[in-house]
Amino acid sequence: MTETDLVIIGAGPAGMAAALAARARGVGRILVLERNGFYGGILNQCIHNGFGLHYFGEELTGPEYAERFSTELASAAVDVHLDTMVLSVSPDRQVEYIGPKTGYQVVSAKAVILATGCRERTRGQISIPGTRPAGVLTAGAAQRYVNLDGYQIGRRIIVLGSGDIGLIMARRLTLEGAEVVAVVELMPYSSGLTRNIRQCLDDFDIPLLLSHTITEIRGKHRVEQVTVAAVDADRKPLPGSETRFDVDTVLLSVGLIPENELAKGAGIELDPVTGGPIVSDRMETSVPGIFACGNAVQVHDLVDYVSAEGRRAGDHAADLLLNEPAAKEDLISLTATGDITYVVPQQIRQSSLSAGIDIFLRVKRPLPGGGVITVCADGTPILRFRRKHLNPGEMERLTLPHQVMSQQTAASFSISVEAP
Amino acid sequence: MVDFAVIGAGIVGSAIAWELSKYEADVVVLEKENDIALGATRANSGIIHAGYDPEPGTLAARYNVPGARMIPEIAADLDVHFRQTGSLVLAFSDRETQGLHALLARGQKNGVPGLQILSAEATRALEPRLSERVTASLYAPTAGIVNPWELALAFMETAIKNGVRLLLDAAVTGIGKEEDHYRLRTADGREVSTRFVINAAGAYADEVSALAAGKLFSITPTKGEYFLFDKSAGETVDRVIFCVPDELGKGVIIAPTVHGNLIVGPDAEPVADKDDTATDGARLAYVRSRALQVIPSLPFNDNIRNFAGLRAAADTDDFVIGFQAPGFFNVAGIKSPGLTAAPAIADDIPRRFAAAGYPLNRKAYWQGKRRIVRIRELPAEEKAAAIRANPAYGHIICRCETISEGEILDACRRGMKPVSLDGIKRRTGAGMGRCQGGFCGAGIVAILAGETGIDPLRICQDKAGSRLFAGRTKSAGGTDD
Ligand SMILES: Cc1cc2nc3c(=O)[nH]c(=O)nc-3n(C[C@H](O)[C@H](O)[C@H](O)COP(=O)(O)OP(=O)(O)OC[C@H]3O[C@@H](n4cnc5c(N)ncnc54)[C@H](O)[C@@H]3O)c2cc1C
Ligand SMILES: Cc1cc2nc3c(=O)[nH]c(=O)nc-3n(C[C@H](O)[C@H](O)[C@H](O)COP(=O)(O)OP(=O)(O)OC[C@H]3O[C@@H](n4cnc5c(N)ncnc54)[C@H](O)[C@@H]3O)c2cc1C
């Protein structure tokens, strides 16, 4: 078995940023393993604009954004194996992988960073009854077929779920000459970014049917018809409200889940809400020496934050490898309550309080009038953040300032939101 | 002129083709779809039944126990996933416990080995997730699980290796009787002359039989709907779990699959259309509620797929096996436990023909062993060696199930050329996992196109007509129409 200092799994924006950060800090032997034949992960199929506004101060396409990092990575002293799939990571950081060039290998690493991204929920996970014809696919799969392989996936299309990929594909397919008859959303609000609703649906007169769902898919060989019904407050279809649409394609944009198989195999504790590992503010997981970042931790809507998270993971892995191991210290929990769906990190190191802490959260329901987010220490409010509008589709980032945090001696923090 | 024409390539037709390939005979199999095992054989519970279910004296009883006995060895020879898990039939009341004793007696009559009634405690010691309401169970150690289409494919590939010819897209629509042979016509105008016909056309066997004679029996399909759970739920139970039939019906099965998933279903609903495999919300809700009575903690969030299968029972209420005319042999109405019984039925065929005055001679040389490379199942050193010998085994195409390009290429080169994504899925497992082909579809299309020479735009999801694509995108040189 070979040995190395740091193995990074995934060369998407999270993994690339982690590798560059660790290298810049002076970590010696870094190995990046990526199962695709290219760098950049999901970015390669996102040929639309809208990447990098925060990070580079300009609007790039996905591939352009990826290239800024991959060019740098290619010239850095980092080993990258493409077409190489990691099969497992053990709790003591033995990484098992295979590839046509590398063959079957096991490498023992002093630290590991999981940057494996996310995957899409499928039809089975939402159990739509009916026949099982061709023409039912996830929006991300459609995006790959259309943008990477040049296939038209259908002519008359209905989209279930108003996640960002579904919205972006509604526009993309319209531009390809297909007719998108509607985007159907179960909830009374969209889970996509407001800018995507405007630019992808409104600008193309594609109707968004809120509080509706697809109750049946029909078609012998290829999709022929779907039934759409309105739903009540409990999200149950309302009998009598059915409408039928003749379409040949159903795109599903019903949610993304962190790719967490490797984490599970390593015995890492997962957050049941995010679906990703529970992490500290240093992106440490519950297993010593294993870090995680990017969509593997929580599904991000902005790549800029993914890169920042990747860098943070790389920095802290470097700390672990290059410095005296940090003294054992207690982790302070940070818990989402009330209308907050989740918060990341879920844990804060005592010693991090002096530096100030970036946190990410999502709300459970839209607060159109905005809201006040309150951070409590052992139940006592210590910080308030006012936001003009809050939406489940838009991740919020807060910085807990070091001036306040360094004063804290609490055993736990919690976070909540109220309408003003 | 051939000796045998087998109509239909489900588990029954495939097992018969495999059996006949051991003999000196010219055998052709005609299958109406673009691949084999697309009827009942691809949508069932995948259980090797121990044999206490069928009424003693029926054909179903006669072939069930021997079938269950043959399967372990066949699975080993043909490199097919099989696990002898044992099964439990659960009772939830004293009356149902009596029902278990009736099953026990029936099973003993049918010659099922090792049956045993277990107490509630013993049952829950074996399967701790079962409801606390369980009062007793019937344990059958010889029950098991198999991947039904994998078994059919293995039979057919081995038959082809030993000289059997398979015609796909060959729906038999006409049968003419000549002096000493039959003339079969297919929908696309092909003709096959054959001394003997074996009708193994599943749900359509009544219609095929009627092409040669008047209607002797008729088949009404009964639909059964299922949930298939992700591997994360695969260890919910170790054994196949049945329930004693109650006033609501047979109760659902909860079973592990050989691939480590969990299968839950089926219900039973008579339907008119022999191709109606649609699932229905209310029916699935029923399956779900019945299953939750058995295992209250079943994680329905982990469902990755729903599907339905059609049981093809004949109105004779038993398997229909035998000559309907000289040289024309029916193997019809093969309802459950048909998957289990298939090898035993096939094994009997040469004897039946000999008894009718058509003896067959064994071949001197017959290749009965099949070996498949499955990277994810190999121990570390063998993985390394396999990839060294063929780097395509190191190129993973399906990430959820860890299936390599090499395995997909092998599947295209074992005598039958798959023409659809689902054809690859059935042969290799690629696309069966959590993402249901979302990631690997494009890669598989490229490999299939390369291997078969089919234009990628014509590659199907499944049966003929299930086109994946409507054309090329504008940027890839397509036009608006
Ligand atoms: C369709 C879509 C549209 C988006 N649009 C925008 C937008 O307009 N603007 C914006 O700012 N953000 C957008 N985002 C968000 C942002 O781009 C993504 O969240 C970000 O790219 C995620 O980066 P990542 O590195 O965490 O994951 P990924 O990019 O998914 O990278 C993960 C990598 O890990 C590899 N990997 C996984 N498992 C293994 C394994 N076992 N072995 C080896 N390699 C493995 C994968 O192959 C992949 O390359 C979009 C996201 C999606 C999904
Ligand atoms: C819901 C369900 C659950 C079951 N569970 C179990 C179980 O757990 N264990 C068990 O042992 N059994 C089980 N069974 C029974 C088992 O699945 C069947 O007995 C078995 O699959 C029947 O195989 P077959 O080859 O007769 O039919 P099929 O698999 O239907 O094959 C018939 C073939 O004939 C072809 N065909 C039809 N007409 C023509 C024509 N005119 N020309 C050419 N080809 C034609 C069809 O395309 C098809 O491929 C179950 C069945 C169902 C439906």
Side-chain angles (χ1 to χ4, degrees), chain A residues 31-103:
Chain A
L31 176 61
V32 179
L33 301 173
E34 166 57 55
R35 59 190 180 185
N36 286 330
F38 45 80
Y39 296 85
I42 197 83
L43 291 175
N44 288 284
Q45 62 189 72
C46 303
I47 59 173
H48 54 280
N49 267 320
F51 295 82
L53 262 178
H54 296 247
Y55 208 88
F56 293 112
E58 57 182 311
E59 266 204 84
L60 306 172
T61 66
E64 285 167 353
Y65 185 95
E67 207 187 307
R68 301 244 167 144
F69 287 85
S70 59
T71 322
E72 205 181 327
L73 192 59
S75 60
V78 170
D79 279 335
V80 184
H81 292 316
L82 300 178
D83 280 326
T84 303
M85 164 113 180
V86 175
L87 301 178
S88 74
V89 179
S90 72
D92 59 352
R93 300 181 303 282
Q94 298 197 9
V95 179
E96 183 196 27
Y97 62 93
I98 68 177
K101 293 203 198 74
T102 59

Coordinates of all heavy atoms in Angstrom, one line a residue, chain A residues 31-103:
Chain A
L31 N -3.1 14.0 -3.6 CA -3.6 13.2 -4.7 C -5.1 13.5 -4.8 O -5.9 13.4 -3.9 CB -3.5 11.7 -4.3 CG -4.0 10.7 -5.2 CD1 -3.4 10.8 -6.6 CD2 -3.8 9.3 -4.7
V32 N -5.5 14.0 -6.1 CA -6.9 14.3 -6.3 C -7.4 13.1 -7.2 O -6.8 12.8 -8.2 CB -7.1 15.6 -7.1 CG1 -8.5 15.9 -7.4 CG2 -6.5 16.7 -6.2
L33 N -8.6 12.5 -6.8 CA -9.1 11.4 -7.6 C -10.5 11.9 -8.1 O -11.4 12.3 -7.3 CB -9.3 10.2 -6.7 CG -8.0 9.7 -6.1 CD1 -8.3 8.6 -5.0 CD2 -7.1 9.2 -7.2
E34 N -10.7 11.7 -9.4 CA -11.9 12.2 -10.0 C -12.4 11.2 -11.0 O -11.7 10.7 -11.9 CB -11.7 13.5 -10.8 CG -12.8 14.0 -11.7 CD -14.1 14.1 -11.1 OE1 -14.2 14.9 -10.1 OE2 -15.1 13.5 -11.6
R35 N -13.7 10.8 -10.9 CA -14.2 9.7 -11.7 C -14.5 10.2 -13.1 O -14.6 9.4 -14.1 CB -15.4 9.1 -11.1 CG -16.6 10.0 -10.8 CD -17.6 9.3 -10.0 NE -18.7 10.2 -9.7 CZ -19.7 10.0 -8.9 NH1 -19.8 8.8 -8.3 NH2 -20.7 10.8 -8.8
N36 N -14.8 11.4 -13.3 CA -15.0 11.9 -14.7 C -13.7 12.0 -15.4 O -12.6 12.0 -14.8 CB -15.6 13.3 -14.7 CG -17.1 13.3 -14.3 OD1 -17.8 12.4 -14.6 ND2 -17.5 14.4 -13.7
G37 N -13.8 12.1 -16.7 CA -12.5 12.3 -17.5 C -12.1 13.7 -17.6 O -11.2 14.1 -18.4
F38 N -12.7 14.6 -16.8 CA -12.4 16.0 -16.9 C -12.5 16.7 -15.5 O -13.1 16.1 -14.6 CB -13.3 16.7 -17.9 CG -14.8 16.3 -17.7 CD1 -15.6 16.9 -16.7 CD2 -15.3 15.3 -18.6 CE1 -16.9 16.5 -16.6 CE2 -16.7 14.9 -18.4 CZ -17.4 15.5 -17.4
Y39 N -12.0 17.9 -15.4 CA -12.1 18.6 -14.1 C -13.5 19.4 -14.1 O -14.1 19.6 -15.2 CB -11.0 19.7 -14.1 CG -9.6 19.3 -14.0 CD1 -8.9 18.9 -15.1 CD2 -9.0 19.2 -12.8 CE1 -7.6 18.5 -15.1 CE2 -7.7 18.8 -12.7 CZ -7.0 18.4 -13.8 OH -5.7 18.0 -13.7
G40 N -13.9 19.8 -13.0 CA -15.0 20.8 -12.9 C -16.3 20.3 -12.5 O -17.2 21.0 -12.2
G41 N -16.4 18.9 -12.4 CA -17.7 18.3 -11.9 C -18.9 18.8 -12.7 O -18.9 18.9 -13.9
I42 N -19.9 19.1 -11.9 CA -21.2 19.5 -12.5 C -21.1 20.8 -13.4 O -22.0 21.0 -14.2 CB -22.2 19.7 -11.4 CG1 -23.7 19.6 -11.8 CG2 -22.0 20.9 -10.6 CD1 -24.2 18.2 -12.0
L43 N -20.1 21.6 -13.1 CA -20.0 22.9 -13.9 C -19.9 22.7 -15.4 O -20.4 23.5 -16.1 CB -18.7 23.6 -13.4 CG -18.8 24.2 -12.0 CD1 -17.4 24.8 -11.7 CD2 -19.9 25.2 -11.8
N44 N -19.4 21.5 -15.8 CA -19.2 21.4 -17.3 C -20.5 21.3 -18.0 O -20.5 21.6 -19.2 CB -18.4 20.1 -17.5 CG -17.0 20.3 -17.1 OD1 -16.3 20.9 -17.8 ND2 -16.7 19.8 -15.9
Q45 N -21.6 20.9 -17.4 CA -22.8 20.8 -18.1 C -23.7 22.1 -17.9 O -24.7 22.3 -18.5 CB -23.6 19.6 -17.7 CG -24.0 19.6 -16.2 CD -24.6 18.2 -15.9 OE1 -23.9 17.2 -15.8 NE2 -25.9 18.2 -15.7
C46 N -23.2 23.0 -17.1 CA -23.9 24.3 -16.8 C -23.3 25.4 -17.7 O -22.5 26.2 -17.3 CB -23.7 24.7 -15.4 SG -24.2 23.5 -14.2
I47 N -23.8 25.3 -19.0 CA -23.2 26.2 -20.0 C -23.8 27.6 -19.9 O -23.5 28.5 -20.7 CB -23.3 25.6 -21.4 CG1 -24.7 25.4 -21.8 CG2 -22.5 24.4 -21.5 CD1 -24.9 25.0 -23.2
H48 N -24.7 27.8 -19.0 CA -25.3 29.2 -18.9 C -24.4 30.1 -18.1 O -23.5 29.6 -17.4 CB -26.7 29.0 -18.2 CG -26.6 28.3 -16.9 ND1 -26.6 26.9 -16.8 CD2 -26.6 28.7 -15.6 CE1 -26.5 26.6 -15.5 NE2 -26.5 27.6 -14.8
N49 N -24.7 31.4 -18.1 CA -24.0 32.4 -17.3 C -24.5 32.3 -15.9 O -25.5 31.8 -15.6 CB -24.3 33.8 -17.9 CG -23.3 34.2 -18.9 OD1 -22.1 33.9 -18.7 ND2 -23.7 34.8 -19.9
G50 N -23.7 32.9 -15.0 CA -24.2 33.1 -13.6 C -23.3 32.5 -12.6 O -23.7 32.3 -11.5
F51 N -22.0 32.3 -13.0 CA -21.1 31.7 -12.0 C -20.0 32.8 -11.7 O -19.5 33.5 -12.6 CB -20.4 30.5 -12.6 CG -21.4 29.4 -12.8 CD1 -22.2 29.3 -14.0 CD2 -21.6 28.4 -11.9 CE1 -23.1 28.3 -14.1 CE2 -22.5 27.3 -12.1 CZ -23.3 27.3 -13.2
G52 N -19.6 32.9 -10.5 CA -18.4 33.6 -10.1 C -18.6 35.1 -9.8 O -17.7 35.8 -9.6
L53 N -19.9 35.6 -9.7 CA -20.1 37.0 -9.4 C -19.4 37.4 -8.1 O -18.8 38.4 -8.0 CB -21.6 37.3 -9.3 CG -22.2 37.9 -10.6 CD1 -23.7 38.1 -10.4 CD2 -21.5 39.2 -10.9
H54 N -19.6 36.5 -7.1 CA -19.0 36.8 -5.8 C -17.5 36.6 -5.8 O -16.7 37.4 -5.2 CB -19.6 36.0 -4.7 CG -21.0 36.2 -4.5 ND1 -21.5 36.7 -3.3 CD2 -22.1 35.9 -5.3 CE1 -22.9 36.8 -3.4 NE2 -23.2 36.3 -4.6
Y55 N -17.0 35.5 -6.4 CA -15.7 35.1 -6.3 C -14.7 35.9 -7.2 O -13.7 36.3 -6.8 CB -15.6 33.6 -6.6 CG -14.5 32.8 -6.0 CD1 -14.6 32.3 -4.7 CD2 -13.2 32.7 -6.6 CE1 -13.6 31.6 -4.1 CE2 -12.2 32.0 -6.0 CZ -12.4 31.4 -4.7 OH -11.4 30.7 -4.1
F56 N -15.2 36.1 -8.4 CA -14.3 36.8 -9.4 C -14.8 38.1 -9.8 O -14.2 38.8 -10.5 CB -14.1 35.9 -10.7 CG -13.4 34.7 -10.5 CD1 -14.0 33.4 -10.6 CD2 -12.0 34.7 -10.2 CE1 -13.3 32.2 -10.4 CE2 -11.3 33.5 -10.0 CZ -12.0 32.3 -10.1
G57 N -16.0 38.5 -9.3 CA -16.6 39.8 -9.6 C -17.0 39.9 -11.1 O -17.2 41.0 -11.6
E58 N -17.2 38.8 -11.8 CA -17.7 38.8 -13.1 C -18.5 37.6 -13.4 O -18.4 36.6 -12.7 CB -16.6 38.9 -14.2 CG -15.6 37.8 -14.1 CD -14.4 37.9 -15.1 OE1 -14.7 38.2 -16.3 OE2 -13.3 37.8 -14.7
E59 N -19.4 37.7 -14.4 CA -20.3 36.5 -14.7 C -19.7 35.6 -15.7 O -19.4 36.0 -16.8 CB -21.6 37.0 -15.2 CG -22.7 37.2 -14.1 CD -24.1 37.1 -14.7 OE1 -24.6 36.0 -14.9 OE2 -24.7 38.2 -15.0
L60 N -19.5 34.4 -15.3 CA -18.9 33.4 -16.2 C -19.8 32.2 -16.4 O -20.8 32.1 -15.7 CB -17.6 32.8 -15.5 CG -16.5 33.8 -15.0 CD1 -15.5 33.0 -14.2 CD2 -15.9 34.5 -16.2
T61 N -19.6 31.4 -17.4 CA -20.3 30.2 -17.6 C -19.7 29.1 -16.7 O -18.6 29.3 -16.2 CB -20.3 29.6 -19.0 OG1 -18.9 29.3 -19.3 CG2 -20.8 30.7 -20.0
G62 N -20.4 28.0 -16.5 CA -19.8 27.0 -15.6 C -18.5 26.5 -16.1 O -17.5 26.5 -15.3
P63 N -18.3 26.1 -17.3 CA -17.0 25.7 -17.8 C -15.9 26.7 -17.7 O -14.8 26.4 -17.3 CB -17.3 25.3 -19.3 CG -18.7 25.0 -19.4 CD -19.4 25.9 -18.3
E64 N -16.3 28.0 -17.9 CA -15.3 29.1 -17.7 C -14.8 29.2 -16.3 O -13.6 29.3 -16.0 CB -15.9 30.4 -18.2 CG -16.0 30.6 -19.7 CD -16.8 31.8 -20.1 OE1 -17.4 32.4 -19.2 OE2 -16.9 32.0 -21.3
Y65 N -15.8 29.1 -15.4 CA -15.5 29.1 -14.0 C -14.5 28.0 -13.6 O -13.5 28.2 -12.9 CB -16.7 29.1 -13.1 CG -16.5 29.3 -11.7 CD1 -16.7 30.5 -11.1 CD2 -16.2 28.2 -10.8 CE1 -16.5 30.7 -9.7 CE2 -16.0 28.3 -9.5 CZ -16.2 29.6 -8.9 OH -16.0 29.8 -7.6
A66 N -14.9 26.8 -14.1 CA -14.1 25.6 -13.8 C -12.7 25.8 -14.3 O -11.7 25.4 -13.6 CB -14.7 24.3 -14.4
E67 N -12.5 26.4 -15.5 CA -11.2 26.4 -16.1 C -10.3 27.3 -15.3 O -9.1 27.0 -15.3 CB -11.4 27.0 -17.5 CG -10.3 26.5 -18.5 CD -10.4 27.2 -19.8 OE1 -11.5 27.2 -20.4 OE2 -9.4 27.8 -20.2
R68 N -10.8 28.4 -14.7 CA -9.9 29.2 -13.9 C -9.2 28.4 -12.9 O -8.0 28.6 -12.5 CB -10.7 30.3 -13.2 CG -11.5 31.2 -14.1 CD -11.0 32.6 -14.0 NE -11.5 33.3 -15.2 CZ -11.9 34.6 -15.1 NH1 -11.8 35.3 -14.0 NH2 -12.4 35.2 -16.2
F69 N -9.9 27.4 -12.3 CA -9.3 26.6 -11.3 C -8.4 25.5 -11.9 O -7.4 25.1 -11.4 CB -10.4 26.0 -10.4 CG -11.0 27.0 -9.4 CD1 -12.0 27.8 -9.8 CD2 -10.5 27.1 -8.1 CE1 -12.6 28.7 -9.0 CE2 -11.1 28.1 -7.3 CZ -12.1 28.8 -7.7
S70 N -9.0 24.8 -12.9 CA -8.3 23.7 -13.4 C -6.9 24.0 -14.1 O -6.0 23.3 -14.0 CB -9.2 22.9 -14.4 OG -9.5 23.7 -15.5
T71 N -6.9 25.2 -14.7 CA -5.6 25.6 -15.2 C -4.5 25.8 -14.1 O -3.4 25.3 -14.2 CB -5.7 27.0 -15.9 OG1 -7.0 27.0 -16.6 CG2 -4.6 27.3 -16.9
E72 N -5.0 26.4 -13.0 CA -4.1 26.6 -11.9 C -3.7 25.2 -11.3 O -2.5 25.0 -11.0 CB -4.8 27.4 -10.9 CG -3.8 28.2 -10.0 CD -4.6 29.0 -8.9 OE1 -5.7 29.5 -9.2 OE2 -4.1 29.1 -7.8
L73 N -4.7 24.3 -11.2 CA -4.4 23.0 -10.6 C -3.4 22.2 -11.5 O -2.5 21.5 -11.0 CB -5.7 22.3 -10.5 CG -5.7 21.0 -9.6 CD1 -5.3 21.4 -8.2 CD2 -7.1 20.4 -9.6
A74 N -3.6 22.3 -12.8 CA -2.8 21.5 -13.7 C -1.3 21.9 -13.6 O -0.4 21.1 -13.8 CB -3.2 21.7 -15.2
S75 N -1.0 23.2 -13.2 CA 0.4 23.6 -13.1 C 0.9 23.5 -11.7 O 2.0 23.8 -11.4 CB 0.6 25.0 -13.7 OG -0.3 25.9 -12.9
A76 N 0.0 23.2 -10.7 CA 0.4 23.0 -9.3 C 1.0 21.6 -9.1 O 0.7 20.7 -9.9 CB -0.8 23.2 -8.4
A77 N 1.8 21.5 -8.1 CA 2.4 20.2 -7.8 C 1.4 19.3 -7.1 O 1.5 19.1 -5.9 CB 3.7 20.4 -7.0
V78 N 0.4 18.9 -7.8 CA -0.6 18.1 -7.2 C -0.8 16.9 -8.2 O -0.9 17.1 -9.4 CB -1.9 18.9 -7.1 CG1 -3.1 18.0 -6.7 CG2 -1.8 20.0 -6.1
D79 N -0.9 15.7 -7.7 CA -1.2 14.6 -8.6 C -2.7 14.5 -8.8 O -3.5 14.5 -7.8 CB -0.8 13.3 -7.9 CG 0.7 13.0 -8.1 OD1 1.2 13.6 -9.1 OD2 1.3 12.4 -7.3
V80 N -3.2 14.5 -10.0 CA -4.6 14.3 -10.3 C -4.8 13.1 -11.2 O -4.1 12.9 -12.2 CB -5.2 15.5 -11.1 CG1 -6.7 15.3 -11.2 CG2 -4.9 16.8 -10.3
H81 N -5.7 12.2 -10.8 CA -6.0 11.0 -11.6 C -7.5 11.2 -12.0 O -8.4 11.2 -11.2 CB -5.9 9.7 -10.9 CG -4.5 9.3 -10.6 ND1 -3.5 9.4 -11.5 CD2 -4.0 8.8 -9.4 CE1 -2.4 9.0 -10.9 NE2 -2.6 8.6 -9.7
L82 N -7.7 11.4 -13.4 CA -9.0 11.5 -13.9 C -9.5 10.0 -14.2 O -8.7 9.1 -14.2 CB -9.1 12.3 -15.1 CG -8.6 13.8 -14.9 CD1 -8.7 14.6 -16.2 CD2 -9.5 14.5 -13.8
D83 N -10.8 9.9 -14.6 CA -11.3 8.5 -14.9 C -11.1 7.6 -13.8 O -10.9 6.4 -14.0 CB -10.7 8.0 -16.2 CG -11.4 8.6 -17.4 OD1 -12.6 8.8 -17.3 OD2 -10.7 8.8 -18.4
T84 N -11.0 8.0 -12.6 CA -10.6 7.2 -11.4 C -11.7 7.3 -10.4 O -12.0 8.4 -9.9 CB -9.3 7.7 -10.9 OG1 -8.3 7.6 -12.0 CG2 -8.8 6.8 -9.8
M85 N -12.2 6.2 -10.0 CA -13.4 6.2 -9.1 C -13.0 5.6 -7.7 O -12.4 4.6 -7.6 CB -14.5 5.3 -9.7 CG -15.5 4.9 -8.8 SD -17.1 5.6 -9.2 CE -18.1 4.9 -7.9
V86 N -13.3 6.4 -6.7 CA -13.1 5.9 -5.4 C -14.2 5.0 -5.0 O -15.4 5.3 -5.1 CB -13.0 7.1 -4.4 CG1 -12.8 6.6 -2.9 CG2 -11.8 8.0 -4.7
L87 N -13.8 3.8 -4.5 CA -14.8 2.8 -4.1 C -15.1 2.9 -2.7 O -16.3 2.6 -2.3 CB -14.3 1.4 -4.5 CG -14.0 1.1 -5.9 CD1 -13.4 -0.3 -6.1 CD2 -15.2 1.3 -6.8
S88 N -14.2 3.2 -1.9 CA -14.4 3.3 -0.4 C -13.4 4.0 0.3 O -12.3 4.2 -0.2 CB -14.5 1.8 0.2 OG -13.2 1.3 0.3
V89 N -13.8 4.5 1.5 CA -12.8 5.2 2.4 C -13.1 4.5 3.7 O -14.2 4.5 4.2 CB -13.1 6.7 2.5 CG1 -12.1 7.4 3.5 CG2 -13.0 7.4 1.1
S90 N -12.0 4.1 4.3 CA -12.2 3.4 5.6 C -12.0 4.5 6.7 O -11.5 5.5 6.5 CB -11.1 2.3 5.8 OG -9.9 2.9 6.0
P91 N -12.5 4.2 7.9 CA -12.4 5.1 9.0 C -11.0 5.5 9.3 O -10.7 6.6 9.8 CB -13.0 4.4 10.2 CG -13.9 3.3 9.6 CD -13.3 3.0 8.3
D92 N -10.0 4.6 9.0 CA -8.6 5.0 9.2 C -8.0 5.5 7.9 O -6.7 5.5 7.8 CB -7.8 3.9 9.9 CG -7.8 2.6 9.0 OD1 -8.6 2.6 8.0 OD2 -7.1 1.7 9.3
R93 N -8.8 6.0 7.0 CA -8.4 6.8 5.8 C -7.6 6.0 4.8 O -6.7 6.5 4.2 CB -7.6 8.0 6.2 CG -8.4 9.0 7.1 CD -7.7 10.2 7.5 NE -6.4 9.9 8.2 CZ -6.3 9.5 9.5 NH1 -7.4 9.5 10.2 NH2 -5.1 9.2 10.0
Q94 N -8.0 4.7 4.6 CA -7.4 4.0 3.5 C -8.4 4.2 2.4 O -9.6 3.9 2.5 CB -7.3 2.5 3.8 CG -6.3 2.3 5.0 CD -5.8 0.9 5.1 OE1 -6.1 0.1 4.2 NE2 -5.1 0.7 6.1
V95 N -7.9 4.7 1.2 CA -8.8 5.0 0.1 C -8.6 4.0 -1.0 O -7.5 3.8 -1.5 CB -8.5 6.4 -0.4 CG1 -9.4 6.8 -1.6 CG2 -8.6 7.4 0.7
E96 N -9.7 3.3 -1.3 CA -9.6 2.3 -2.3 C -10.2 2.9 -3.7 O -11.3 3.4 -3.7 CB -10.6 1.2 -1.8 CG -10.6 -0.1 -2.7 CD -11.8 -1.0 -2.3 OE1 -12.8 -0.4 -1.8 OE2 -11.8 -2.2 -2.5
Y97 N -9.4 2.7 -4.7 CA -9.9 3.3 -6.0 C -9.5 2.5 -7.2 O -8.6 1.7 -7.1 CB -9.4 4.8 -6.1 CG -7.9 5.0 -6.2 CD1 -7.3 5.1 -7.4 CD2 -7.2 5.2 -5.1 CE1 -5.9 5.3 -7.5 CE2 -5.8 5.4 -5.1 CZ -5.2 5.5 -6.4 OH -3.8 5.7 -6.4
I98 N -10.2 2.7 -8.3 CA -9.8 2.0 -9.5 C -10.0 3.0 -10.7 O -10.8 3.9 -10.7 CB -10.7 0.7 -9.8 CG1 -12.1 1.0 -10.2 CG2 -10.6 -0.2 -8.7 CD1 -12.9 -0.3 -10.5
G99 N -9.2 2.7 -11.7 CA -9.2 3.4 -13.0 C -8.5 2.7 -14.0 O -7.7 1.8 -13.7
P100 N -8.8 3.0 -15.3 CA -8.2 2.2 -16.4 C -6.6 2.4 -16.4 O -5.9 1.4 -16.7 CB -8.8 2.8 -17.6 CG -9.5 4.0 -17.3 CD -9.7 4.0 -15.8
K101 N -6.2 3.5 -16.0 CA -4.7 3.7 -16.0 C -4.1 3.3 -14.7 O -3.0 2.7 -14.7 CB -4.4 5.2 -16.2 CG -4.8 5.7 -17.6 CD -4.0 6.9 -18.1 CE -4.7 7.5 -19.2 NZ -6.0 8.3 -18.8
T102 N -4.7 3.6 -13.6 CA -4.1 3.3 -12.3 C -4.3 1.9 -11.9 O -3.6 1.3 -11.1 CB -4.7 4.2 -11.2 OG1 -6.1 3.9 -11.1 CG2 -4.5 5.6 -11.4
G103 N -5.3 1.2 -12.5 CA -5.7 -0.1 -12.0 C -6.4 0.0 -10.6 O -7.0 1.0 -10.3

